Amino acid sequence: MAHKKPNYYLVWLYLLILTVAEVLVAFASGLPFEVLVFILLGLAVWKAALVAMYYMHLRFEPPRLVVLALAPIPLAILITIVVVTMEGF
Amino acid sequence: MSRAAAIHAQAPRPMEGIRVYNVKLGMWVFLLSEVMFFSGLIGAYIILRFAHPEQWAAPGEVLNVPLTAFNTFMLICSSVTMVKAFAAIEHGDQAGLKKWLLATIVLGAAFVGIQIFEYMKLAEHGFVPIASQYAAEGGPLYGSTFYTMTGFHGAHVSIGVLCLIFTASKAFRGQYTEEHYAGVEIMGLYWHFVDLVWIILFTIVYLI
Amino acid sequence: MPESASTFGTGIDSIYYIILWITGAIFVFVETALIVFIIRYRHREGRVAVHTHGSKKAEIVWTVIPFILVLFIVYASNDIWLQVKRADQEGAAPADALPLRVVAKQFEWNVTYPGPDEELDTSDDFVKRNQLHVPIGRAVRIDLGSEDVIHSFFLPDFRVKQDAVPGMTIPVWFEATRTGEFPLACAELCGLGHYRMRASLTVHEADDFDRWQAEELAAGTPAEVADGPEADTAEENRVSEGEGSA
Amino acid sequence: MSTTQLLAPNVSAQHWADPSHPDDRPFIRKYVFSTDHKTIGNQFMFMSLFFLLVGGALAMMIRWQLGWPGQPMPGGGVLPETMAPGGILLPEFYNSLVTMHGTFMIFFAIMPLLVGMFGNWLIPLHVGASDMAFPRLNMMSFWTAVPAGFIMLTSFAVEGGAAGAGWTAYPPLSAVPEYSGVSTGQQLWCVSLVILGFSSLMGAVNYITTIVNMRAPGMTWLRLPLPVWALFITAILILLAMPILAGALIMLLFDQTLGTTFFLPETGGQPLLWQHLFWYFGHPEVYILILPAMGIASEVIANGSRKPIFGYPAMVGAIIAIAFLGWIVWGHHMFQSGMNPLLGSSFMLSTMIIAVPSAIKVFNWLGTIWRGDIHFHTPMLNALAFVGMFVIGGLSGVFMASTPVDIYIHDTYFIVAHIHYVLFGGSLFAIFAGIYFWFPKFFGRMLNPTLGKIHFALTFVFYNLVFFPMHNLGLGGMMRRIYDPNQYGFLEPLQPMNTFISVFALALGASQLVFIINILWSLWRGERAPENPWSSNSLEWDLPSPPPHGNFEAMPAVYRGPYEYSYPGRGEDFWPQSEPPDGQQVSVKTGGSPVAEGVPQ
Ligand code: HEA
Ligand code: HEA
Ligand code: CUA
Ligand SMILES: [Cu+2]
């Protein structure tokens, strides 16, 4: 292996803690909906990033592959933003 | 013609592509289109929900969050076992490979099982995608989007399990080695991706 | 294009002609260049092509010029676009507009008139099928809806087109500048009767319009459309008989 | 993983052609279930040309109805009662005709021709590889496209007839049988396109991997022939756009069959949601249909005018720019749909800006023939026609991009004119150019130039007589997809023009017979093709026609860009990419595969 192996169990622990955190935030914290959405999405993205970086080894791949892998994200975000901005319907 | 002169100055050298072997690159490229597929579904979900918030019951009211949280836990575990299998074969540890692959299969299958169970419970409660027969709180769009998104993810997991079984059978025939483990690696990529999608879906479908 | 019969029609046409001139010029320029080069540089014994990989300068020129041109077109188009389409926004449509409701369904247009009180959903409303009557020189504001599929409310002479989408009520406005009878067409494929989903728009002199309205009320035109196909499309109106539409 | 594994994965496991022992694949592996990219390319060619023929035939019926409304169609008697009793087309059948014409032409003719055929023919040869990265996947890609097309065809035969909601299939019309009178046909339409999506997806994965990873030594990004660049970007568009369509189609299918209501307003569904998803796929799709055509045109024009392509980097940049902008303009199909007008304004801006990279391409083509030494071989003629016609189509696009003007011309024949100027005048002429150009390489025989020129002349003239007047129809206010314009008083004066168009449309269809005959005749009787009939530069022309299984005998080496024509001080006016500078010897081992061991299999 060209790179030093990450501690997979540690990542696993992270994911669990974050999941628990999510559920707690969603139900136990009386936060207003807008804030809630924000935090929850943040946590979800964080978890997703962990999986991609360590389990899918993106962190240890040549940069060009990383670029490739991130390519569709803007598009995905774009369509969502545009459709959300249309109080037109 | 300085430009033209420069043209053949460069001697041929072996191209390196992007230093990732074909099968792996191919899998990554395929996963990109998967990202777009789920973005499409999620985008639709967001539009419909923005247009008709009243059709969505409060989180946990209709959907069984504890059960699904447990299911999420299992899927996350299956990711660890998968990556351990990969780590094992990288060092030619055949036993480890088999052990971890089997573990992944079990966890994956369990996830699908629990999801089916969840569906049946929900259906009893009148939570169905069909507008005409919808009985639960909220409105039919809630059900339609829920079943479509989670259903397609479930399908991906099921396919993943089948592929895992295939991979495992090859592993048991000792067809992977320290040098030849591409099959395991791309299997892992797909599996982790499915996990990743679930992480997102769990949040936006169950918690928000 | 048919002569414009609405206040903003001429404005829209002028944009069309601006674009026609710009693109026309480009068209002539490009095609002549193409033809001239083709003839001028056709293969001849002993002709050698010039070996060049291009010219930064030239490329910058023909990147910047089109860019400016299109920005100009956008700038020229935008105001009138918003004026036409944002019927419910401040300053777009005149405030004193006459409110009407048009509901499309396979394959007819049902027009609800507010009656003398000029208020929709009041007792003196009345409904006509496939007949749109408006006064001249006064803006009309139409709440456009659909009962079944997507149709498109198309008044060629008025440069008005707006899809009628089921589940949505979309505001449309225009102000007639000519009296007479004009076609109202459906421009969005809406089933096998799409090709004949037509109606007529009649523009009256103001007092003439009131007279017409009075007559209709006297004749006791219903506030609800009687179902069943309209007379002149009754024969061969397959959907409302055969497959039975909504 | 050790660096040796990372290095040059492209040289690993390529099975180069071996002249010493003959290709001994059994017939079925060689011609039917072949994994050879050249064979698959040929298969795609025959399949798509067949569907082009089908689409054309449907167009002929459309034109008959519009030219002579309500007249019994000659030979129409053979059609069943449900379509054309006594040869008179029914309105519901007309809707199916229009829908299927658009569907076949876009999804089963032009797309597989440009992507399936040229993609397979050109990519491995142009980058100097022995085959695609995943030959078996490649084969599957073709053999999933076939059933998709078959399903689409059979939908004509089912109860209620073929899909009739337009190729854009707007719900509720497409989702509720009661509204359209079509049920099974519409569902088959969705299923077929989902399957086709899989096929395209497999192709795209293959192309991207091959181009990124399997370029021969010296084939740097800026030495790639433009068709490969175009196909690379196109593959990315397919990869990211097709899944969106698949998702939307599946939701539509659920609405049709399960009773969900994604697009049905009664219980809160959004008809506009479909339009957003469809066009979010749809506009990238139309660039999928033009970018490869642009690449082919560039190749042929540079070759025909014996000049380096004018501004190669700019050409590449323009392709990328068009593809990127293509993602943020979809709303221009929805200006009149009830979408927020402010959104309309921003979509107008982004749409207009696409004119800029397109301008770069057009003017660089002009720059390429400028002071060239133009040889008018059939491919060149078609390529020049491509430039001329694409400009017309593009400029008419600018009218529609202007929101106020679009109010009037939306859903009129002005749009139909635009469609055909970009798709026929653009894509199809480029396809003709490409077929005339590469046919010899892949079938070992030249296409007959005389027939070729006749075909070109007839097509070019009739094509313009058919589609240019459609602009006027549109300005006259004639709506699309109408079965009988004469229902409207204000359209009756246009009938003579419609008849005129129809006459030449029939002529246009007929003149395609020349092309068919030319192909069929040349396949067996055509004169044998030399290695390099057009004295062109790219790698495939070093190989025998047709190239052997495995293409090259060893990893080829590349020394320069693909467009070094008329290089000063050289004997001949072309300079193959693989020719080593000033007579230095090619070592067969160039770039060899010492680093290949241990790449995971
Ligand atoms: C190959 C396919 C293809 C291509 C390349 C294009 C290219 C373009 N299209 Fe087209 N389009 C279609 C296929 C295509 N289109 C189809 C099939 C439909 C109908 C869908 C349906 O059924 O509803 C459609 C519909 C369509 C619409 C919707 C119309 C409506 O329904 O109301 C619009 C609106 O903006 C549009 C715009 C454009 C523009 C701006 C371009 C631009 O990319 C064009 C850019 C090119 C040029 C501008 C010419 C060259 C440039 C110069 C010579 C430089 C100078 C130019 C200027 C300064 C202006 N197209
Ligand atoms: C690439 C795409 C393409 C092509 C080539 C064509 C070709 C033609 N189209 Fe096309 N058309 C569309 C794409 C295309 N069309 C689309 C997308 C629509 C919109 C659909 C909708 O509204 O939903 C449309 C709609 C459309 C309409 C509008 C219908 C309506 O709105 O009511 C009309 C009407 O005249 C028409 C006519 C024609 C004609 C006469 C041809 C002629 O050019 C046809 C001439 C014949 C051929 C080109 C076939 C020749 C065969 C070969 C060359 C193959 C050779 C075979 C072998 C060697 C085996 N088309
Ligand atoms: Cu209503 Cu077309
Ligand atoms: Cu478009």
Side-chain angles (χ1 to χ4, degrees):
Chain A
M1 215 58 177
H3 59 80
K4 71 156 196 39
K5 190 128 8 52
N7 181 338
Y8 295 124
Y9 291 119
L10 196 63
V11 180
W12 174 73
L13 201 62
Y14 257 110
L15 291 171
L16 289 195
I17 296 170
L18 288 172
T19 313
V20 177
E22 275 194 305
V23 181
L24 289 181
V25 174
F27 293 102
S29 80
L31 290 166
F33 182 70
E34 293 71 15
V35 189
L36 209 63
V37 174
F38 209 70
I39 299 177
L40 286 175
L41 286 181
L43 289 170
V45 173
W46 185 359
K47 287 162 69 183
L50 283 175
V51 173
M53 274 162 55
Y54 294 101
Y55 287 171
M56 300 174 87
H57 295 113
L58 210 46
R59 193 154 173 269
F60 315 104
E61 296 291 1
R64 272 175 285 183
L65 181 61
V66 181
V67 175
L68 191 83
L70 297 182
I73 307 297
L75 293 178
I77 296 173
L78 176 81
I79 187 174
T80 349
I81 290 181
V82 171
V83 295
V84 171
T85 51
M86 57 182 57
E87 80 283 9
F89 82 111
Chain B
M1 282 307 141
S2 62
R3 183 111 162 261
I7 286 167
H8 57 252
Q10 214 170 352
R13 47 183 174 72
M15 300 302 293
E16 294 171 0
I18 61 168
R19 305 175 128 263
V20 174
Y21 58 90
N22 286 348
V23 194
K24 186 166 160 188
L25 179 60
M27 175 52 80
W28 269 106
V29 173
F30 167 70
L31 290 183
L32 297 195
S33 82
E34 288 280 37
V35 172
M36 289 310 280
F37 178 76
F38 283 101
S39 314
L41 296 184
I42 295 174
Y45 166 83
I46 294 177
I47 296 182
L48 293 170
R49 186 161 177 179
F50 261 80
H52 290 278
E54 76 281 359
Q55 292 204 9
W56 267 257
E61 217 166 84
V62 172
L63 302 176
N64 182 342
V65 175
L67 178 68
T68 321
F70 174 68
N71 223 5
T72 313
F73 166 73
M74 299 231 296
L75 206 54
I76 293 178
C77 295
S78 78
S79 260
V80 195
T81 54
M82 185 68 229
V83 79
K84 292 302 281 184
F86 173 53
I89 191 60
E90 266 183 330
H91 304 109
D93 168 3
Q94 295 289 344
L97 173 67
K98 296 174 194 158
K99 183 180 74 193
W100 290 116
L101 276 180
L102 286 181
T104 317
I105 294 177
V106 173
L107 287 164
F111 177 90
V112 178
I114 295 186
Q115 198 174 23
I116 294 172
F117 172 75
E118 177 197 19
Y119 277 12
M120 291 183 339
K121 279 271 162 287
L122 287 170
E124 282 172 23
H125 177 278
F127 185 75
V128 292
I130 296 101
S132 52
Q133 299 163 19
Y134 194 87
E137 296 86 345
L141 289 180
Y142 192 12
S144 315
T145 49
F146 168 82
Y147 282 105
T148 315
M149 290 195 289
T150 55
F152 269 108
H153 176 266
H156 278 77
V157 180
S158 317
I159 294 171
V161 172
L162 294 182
C163 300
L164 273 167
I165 292 173
F166 174 74
T167 317
S169 70
K170 280 184 76 174
F172 274 88
R173 278 180 273 119
Q175 294 182 1
Y176 298 111
T177 69
E178 206 163 344
E179 286 297 349
H180 299 272
Y181 48 69
V184 183
E185 186 169 17
I186 65 167
M187 183 63 235
L189 285 176
Y190 176 83
W191 191 255
H192 298 309
F193 172 77
V194 173
D195 182 14
L196 188 152
V197 170
W198 182 252
I199 287 175
I200 304 290
L201 286 185
F202 176 64
T203 308
I204 70 171
V205 175
Y206 289 84
L207 299 184
I208 293 182
Chain C
M1 287 189 286
E3 187 199 340
S4 157
S6 68
T7 45
F8 49 63
T10 43
I12 292 180
D13 294 0
S14 56
I15 308 272
Y16 166 79
Y17 287 111
I18 293 176
I19 301 179
L20 186 60
W21 278 110
I22 296 180
T23 52
I26 295 165
F27 169 71
V28 174
F29 173 75
V30 171
E31 303 291 348
T32 38
L34 189 60
I35 293 163
V36 169
F37 290 174
I38 287 176
I39 297 167
R40 170 77 178 71
Y41 301 114
R42 66 193 184 284
H43 176 63
R44 281 281 167 276
E45 268 326 307
R47 160 170 287 137
V48 218
V50 177
H51 181 90
T52 163
H53 285 93
S55 138
K56 284 273 162 302
K57 231 188 267 84
E59 288 176 36
I60 290 172
V61 170
W62 61 57
T63 311
V64 172
I65 293 177
F67 190 66
I68 296 169
L69 285 174
V70 291
L71 286 188
F72 168 72
I73 297 177
V74 172
Y75 169 77
S77 306
N78 199 33
D79 293 351
I80 189 152
W81 160 250
L82 293 178
Q83 189 205 348
V84 173
K85 282 291 172 177
R86 302 175 81 199
D88 46 1
Q89 236 72 9
E90 271 310 304
D96 68 331
L98 172 75
L100 296 177
R101 179 181 300 119
V102 173
V103 176
K105 82 177 204 201
Q106 291 179 324
F107 297 99
E108 61 196 40
W109 303 93
N110 293 315
V111 189
T112 312
Y113 295 87
D117 68 352
E118 304 202 336
E119 291 271 337
L120 282 169
D121 307 312
T122 50
S123 55
D124 62 351
D125 293 5
F126 62 95
V127 180
K128 303 270 317 164
R129 183 194 274 114
N130 289 337
Q131 290 181 44
L132 183 53
H133 292 259
V134 301
I136 189 172
R138 162 134 189 233
V140 289
R141 183 188 186 288
I142 298 173
D143 288 331
L144 185 63
S146 169
E147 279 183 22
D148 36 39
V149 301
I150 298 179
H151 303 268
S152 195
F153 179 82
F154 181 28
L155 296 170
D157 310 79
F158 293 71
R159 314 293 188 261
V160 169
K161 187 181 282 126
Q162 175 58 59
D163 287 6
V165 184
M168 293 170 70
T169 307
I170 302 165
V172 179
W173 81 274
F174 64 89
E175 181 175 331
T177 56
R178 282 194 287 139
T179 58
E181 191 163 333
F182 304 94
L184 158 55
C186 177
E188 184 66 64
L189 178 60
C190 55
L192 56 83
H194 164 58
Y195 70 99
R196 56 176 156 69
M197 182 169 166
R198 67 192 179 295
S200 72
L201 162 60
T202 320
V203 181
H204 300 268
E205 295 296 346
D207 49 358
D208 185 27
F209 176 78
D210 299 337
R211 202 176 312 112
W212 169 81
Q213 183 163 294
E215 285 163 8
E216 289 297 336
L217 287 165
T221 318
E224 286 306 318
V225 252
D227 261 334
E230 186 221 359
D232 76 337
T233 52
E235 81 287 349
E236 38 92 84
N237 190 335
R238 241 185 249 83
V239 159
S240 40
E241 281 148 29
E243 284 97 89
S245 77
Chain D
M1 128 183 12
S2 72
T3 42
T4 56
Q5 289 174 344
L6 285 172
L7 269 170
N10 53 319
V11 273
S12 72
Q14 293 203 50
H15 309 292
W16 303 106
D18 175 359
S20 61
H21 77 76
D23 170 4
D24 53 5
R25 290 169 297 163
F27 178 86
I28 184 137
R29 283 246 151 277
K30 201 164 177 176
Y31 296 107
V32 187
F33 296 108
S34 168
T35 57
D36 184 317
H37 69 98
K38 300 181 288 299
T39 318
I40 296 175
N42 302 347
Q43 289 172 319
F44 265 114
M45 175 176 123
F46 288 115
M47 182 195 78
S48 333
L49 284 181
F50 168 73
F51 284 124
L52 185 60
L53 203 55
V54 174
L58 299 181
M60 297 301 112
M61 294 197 235
I62 294 177
R63 275 329 305 182
W64 176 267
Q65 168 59 27
L66 291 172
W68 299 275
Q71 305 288 321
M73 184 171 65
V78 301
L79 295 171
E81 284 294 305
T82 51
M83 297 179 182
I88 300 172
L89 305 179
L90 294 175
E92 50 268 59
F93 181 53
Y94 180 86
N95 289 348
S96 301
L97 283 178
V98 174
T99 306
M100 296 311 251
H101 166 68
T103 308
F104 274 123
M105 284 299 196
I106 286 192
F107 291 104
F108 293 96
I110 303 303
M111 205 173 159
L113 276 170
L114 284 173
V115 182
M117 174 176 85
F118 286 115
N120 275 295
W121 273 2
L122 300 185
I123 290 176
L125 287 168
H126 272 173
V127 303
S130 66
D131 203 323
M132 286 285 179
F134 314 114
R136 241 182 271 93
L137 194 68
N138 203 16
M139 176 182 79
M140 276 159 62
S141 160
F142 174 74
W143 285 110
T144 43
V146 173
F150 183 74
I151 294 176
M152 197 55 89
L153 269 180
T154 48
S155 70
F156 273 109
V158 299
E159 179 68 44
W167 84 281
T168 54
Y170 283 5
L173 183 64
S174 58
V176 183
E178 288 70 32
Y179 291 152
S180 60
V182 182
S183 55
T184 326
Q186 198 72 47
Q187 294 161 13
L188 289 177
W189 186 85
C190 296
V191 173
S192 162
L193 287 187
V194 171
I195 299 176
L196 186 73
F198 275 108
S199 159
S200 314
L201 188 59
M202 292 186 246
V205 171
N206 232 326
Y207 298 172
I208 295 176
T209 313
T210 310
I211 295 171
V212 168
N213 253 5
M214 297 177 68
R215 284 166 293 128
M219 182 59 82
T220 57
W221 282 105
L222 287 186
R223 288 179 181 178
L224 280 177
L226 283 170
V228 179
W229 259 112
L231 284 160
F232 179 59
I233 303 299
T234 305
I236 295 177
L237 289 181
I238 293 179
L239 186 80
L240 302 181
M242 271 298 172
I244 302 280
L245 177 67
L249 284 168
I250 288 165
M251 284 187 257
L252 183 59
L253 203 55
F254 285 170
D255 278 6
Q256 292 165 346
T257 53
L258 299 184
T260 57
T261 56
F262 291 103
F263 307 124
L264 302 178
E266 289 75 16
T267 49
Q270 296 289 350
L272 286 199
L273 171 57
W274 165 266
Q275 296 185 25
H276 277 292
L277 291 173
F278 182 87
W279 290 119
Y280 188 69
F281 146 83
H283 195 86
E285 166 71 12
V286 305
Y287 289 139
I288 291 169
L289 297 171
I290 201 67
L291 290 180
M294 290 174 161
I296 292 161
S298 308
E299 183 81 13
V300 173
I301 288 177
N303 171 284
S305 43
R306 319 305 299 158
K307 254 189 90 203
I309 198 80
F310 196 89
Y312 176 98
M315 288 301 243
V316 174
I319 294 178
I320 296 173
I322 292 177
F324 174 75
L325 289 168
W327 284 104
I328 55 176
V329 301
W330 77 89
H332 65 221
H333 296 270
M334 299 172 62
F335 286 149
Q336 319 309 332
S337 68
M339 177 180 75
N340 182 344
L342 293 173
L343 224 49
S345 302
S346 41
F347 277 122
M348 158 164 65
L349 178 62
S350 51
T351 304
M352 288 281 188
I353 293 179
I354 295 192
V356 175
S358 313
I360 299 179
K361 294 205 80 73
V362 169
F363 291 122
N364 280 4
W365 284 320
L366 290 181
T368 308
I369 61 175
W370 168 72
R371 298 176 67 192
D373 169 28
I374 306 174
H375 293 58
F376 296 102
H377 45 57
T378 329
M380 185 60 172
L381 291 172
N382 283 280
L384 293 170
F386 164 87
V387 178
M389 298 300 102
F390 169 73
V391 169
I392 301 181
L395 291 174
S396 67
V398 174
F399 285 82
M400 306 176 307
S402 161
T403 42
V405 179
D406 185 67
I407 295 176
Y408 182 69
I409 58 182
H410 170 67
D411 272 336
T412 65
Y413 265 68
F414 198 92
I415 311 300
V416 177
H418 168 73
I419 296 176
H420 293 90
Y421 264 93
V422 283
L423 279 172
F424 192 127
S427 313
L428 197 52
F429 271 116
I431 287 169
F432 286 149
I435 290 182
Y436 285 112
F437 196 70
W438 279 289
F439 184 92
K441 177 51 65 186
F442 293 97
F443 294 98
R445 294 179 181 273
M446 306 299 287
L447 280 169
N448 179 310
T450 327
L451 286 179
K453 290 196 167 67
I454 295 174
H455 169 239
F456 167 74
L458 294 177
T459 310
F460 185 77
V461 173
F462 291 144
Y463 158 79
N464 280 288
L465 289 173
V466 170
F467 294 110
F468 202 84
M470 286 189 184
H471 292 103
N472 307 44
L473 290 181
L475 294 174
M478 177 172 167
M479 293 78 71
R480 298 169 64 173
R481 301 168 172 176
I482 53 174
Y483 163 75
D484 175 10
N486 298 332
Q487 287 284 329
Y488 291 89
F490 77 104
L491 292 181
E492 272 161 12
L494 297 175
Q495 188 53 47
M497 193 182 281
N498 267 315
T499 315
F500 172 90
I501 291 177
S502 294
V503 171
F504 287 105
L506 294 173
L508 175 59
S511 45
Q512 301 309 320
L513 291 176
V514 183
F515 180 62
I516 301 178
I517 293 168
N518 194 350
I519 286 191
L520 299 181
W521 186 82
S522 306
L523 271 176
W524 287 279
R525 296 263 169 287
E527 104 184 59
R528 293 233 168 257
E531 272 188 9
N532 190 356
W534 318 111
S535 19
S536 190
N537 288 344
S538 46
L539 295 173
E540 74 269 33
W541 304 108
D542 305 342
L543 302 173
S545 312
H549 184 48
N551 300 343
F552 307 88
E553 291 177 18
M555 170 83 59
V558 176
Y559 297 87
R560 63 188 64 79
Y563 301 117
E564 291 309 307
Y565 292 105
S566 311
Y567 187 73
R570 273 182 59 83
E572 69 267 286
D573 63 356
F574 67 108
W575 200 359
Q577 288 185 276
S578 59
E579 180 181 317
D582 8 61
Q584 150 197 336
Q585 267 312 316
V586 205
S587 69
V588 186
K589 301 218 65 45
T590 330
S593 45
V595 284
E597 300 84 29
V599 174
Q601 292 310 309

